[in-house]
Amino acid sequence: MRYLPGQAHQLPGNRSRLADYTASHFRFEVEGGVATVTLNRPERKNPLTFDTYAELRDLFRALAYADDVKAIVITGAGDNFCSGGDVHDIIGPLTKLDMPGLLAFTRMTGDLVKAMRACPQPVIAAVDGVCAGAGAILSLSSDMRIGTARSKTAFLFTRVGLAGCDMGACALLPRVIGQGRAAELLYTGRSMSGTEAERWGFFNSISEPGALLADAQALAAALAGGPTFAHGMTKKMLQQEWNMGVDEAIEAEAQAQAICMATNDFHRAYHAFVARQQPQFEGD
């Protein structure tokens, strides 16, 4: 039911559906408003290639316009999340590139993080086993993370002679686990166990390996059934307010909340409360 005047907000050409999208370099399925992205090279612990980076970047950009996807789960096939950049397909070729080529690569990997942070849907990482290098960044760039006790997360860039400041790690990781803990992981490149990651706040929760994906998808489904326009606004504010003072943030949130108060979902919630019913959110 619509409570507010005006036409539906879907503008011609502004929305799309991704349920029929066939990915080339990973698995992609949509069910019940939840998209599941599965890195699918289990024999190599699901490493990333140039093509995987580019397709993931383009997919997360497209998700900003997908009206059939309300929440996203990213995971790895088999017993591991992602071992990072493929040594043979990425690391080797990088040693032969000139500076413009290297910069084009590092900007492309950073663009994937930007796309994940910019898409309005909540992104949940389901992390088992190895979660290293760029794989750790994919997990970090998600909105929430569910792990297993046997998972091992490592930002191991310094172990190959690179700075720990890759793909936004120095901005994102301290905000999740604190400056001192982030510095330790980024300087040493050591692995963080699943139980330690939960204790430090990197993982929101720990699941048994066999239940990990189902638990992540259940959380995503609960979010997909909620006020998705408001979720998108929450994600936008979480991102924008990193660069604001408190007074600016309070004003930005006043504007964001006023916008949400002008949605049908807000009115549905009110009328459902009065009728002592559960609201049925539709994202408008």
Side-chain angles (χ1 to χ4, degrees), residues 112-128:
L112 169 55
V113 174
K114 292 178 185 178
M116 291 178 68
R117 300 306 309 147
C119 79
Q121 299 93 338
V123 181
I124 300 164
V127 179
D128 192 17

Side-chain angles (χ1 to χ4, degrees), residues 194-234:
T195 52
E196 182 181 30
E198 184 188 29
R199 188 172 71 249
W200 280 12
F202 186 81
F203 287 150
N204 295 84
S205 61
I206 293 288
S207 292
E208 291 297 322
L212 174 64
L213 181 57
D215 288 346
Q217 290 175 328
L219 175 56
L223 294 172
T228 53
F229 180 88
H231 289 335
M233 189 68 77
T234 302

